[in-house]
Amino acid sequence: MADGIKVPPCRPYVVRAMYDWMVDNLLTPQIAVNVNFPEVDLPLQYAQNGLIILNISPRAVLNLKIDNKGISFNARFGGVPHSVYVPMIAVTSIYPREDPKLGMYLLPEAGYDDYYENADAGQNKGHLSAVEEVENTGVKEDNQSSSPKSKKKVEHKKPTLEIVE
């Protein structure tokens, strides 16, 4: 940070504010959770592709606590009661069930990097890492020479993000 100022991550404040706003407006708050982070404690059999969506509305959970470290509550999954704990870093978004476009995606924050750098060294930290350039072996549709002596071209494309509904 500039001038050496260290502040805690804003994620817990955003989650609490969005939760309060949704409840005040009679919406159903849901969180998307990356289950691959250490300390996630919930019934993993309900996760799909490393992600689980949790309804955290007052009607769905008991003893909800949203603090700076995580979210905890008691809920039923398939009729079976469970205690749930989600570290704040594992929360990837919060949105109302009624209209997901009103929600927020939570980006990585430097404050969590510091937390996990101090954690045990052998664990999977869930961080993204750089990937080396990969050669495109697909067929190009333009008119390139198809002689056997022609060199394979590496096609460079910018990464894109596509919203799937």
Side-chain angles (χ1 to χ4, degrees):
M1 300 206 95
D3 299 328
I5 299 172
K6 286 199 172 236
V7 295
C10 69
R11 182 179 305 225
Y13 300 92
V14 171
V15 169
R16 282 190 295 266
M18 290 296 294
Y19 175 84
D20 289 342
W21 174 77
M22 287 179 222
V23 171
D24 288 351
N25 288 286
L26 305 176
L27 298 170
T28 308
Q30 297 187 141
I31 56 173
V33 176
N34 178 344
V35 300
N36 296 314
F37 279 97
E39 302 173 24
V40 170
D41 185 13
L42 51 81
L44 295 176
Q45 66 267 29
Y46 295 98
Q48 294 179 352
N49 299 323
L51 191 70
I52 189 168
I53 307 301
L54 299 172
N55 176 349
I56 59 170
S57 70
R59 296 180 66 156
V61 302
L62 294 171
N63 305 320
L64 177 68
K65 181 181 176 190
I66 304 174
D67 63 23
N68 288 355
K69 293 184 186 255
I71 300 172
S72 62
F73 57 87
N74 296 317
R76 291 184 174 271
F77 291 83
V80 179
H82 289 278
S83 292
V84 173
Y85 179 75
V86 176
M88 197 54 74
I89 191 172
V91 179
T92 61
S93 63
I94 181 167
Y95 59 92
R97 175 187 293 162
E98 294 79 6
D99 189 354
K101 291 181 272 181
L102 296 175
M104 294 189 75
Y105 293 97
L106 304 167
L107 300 174
E109 294 180 75
Y112 290 116
D113 291 339
D114 295 342
Y115 172 77
Y116 280 99
E117 283 175 8
N118 295 330
D120 293 336
Q123 294 181 333
N124 177 6
K125 309 299 183 222
H127 289 289
L128 297 176
S129 60
V131 182
E132 289 187 27
E133 189 175 300
V134 178
E135 188 175 305
N136 182 1
T137 58
V139 177
K140 290 186 80 171
E141 293 183 19
D142 58 18
N143 296 332
Q144 289 186 350
S145 170
S146 59
S147 70
K149 292 182 182 180
S150 66
K151 257 184 144 178
K152 267 189 189 178
K153 273 188 116 179
V154 175
E155 188 175 324
H156 299 282
K157 289 186 178 180
K158 285 187 174 180
T160 59
L161 175 65
E162 182 177 330
I163 299 175
V164 180
E165 294 184 26

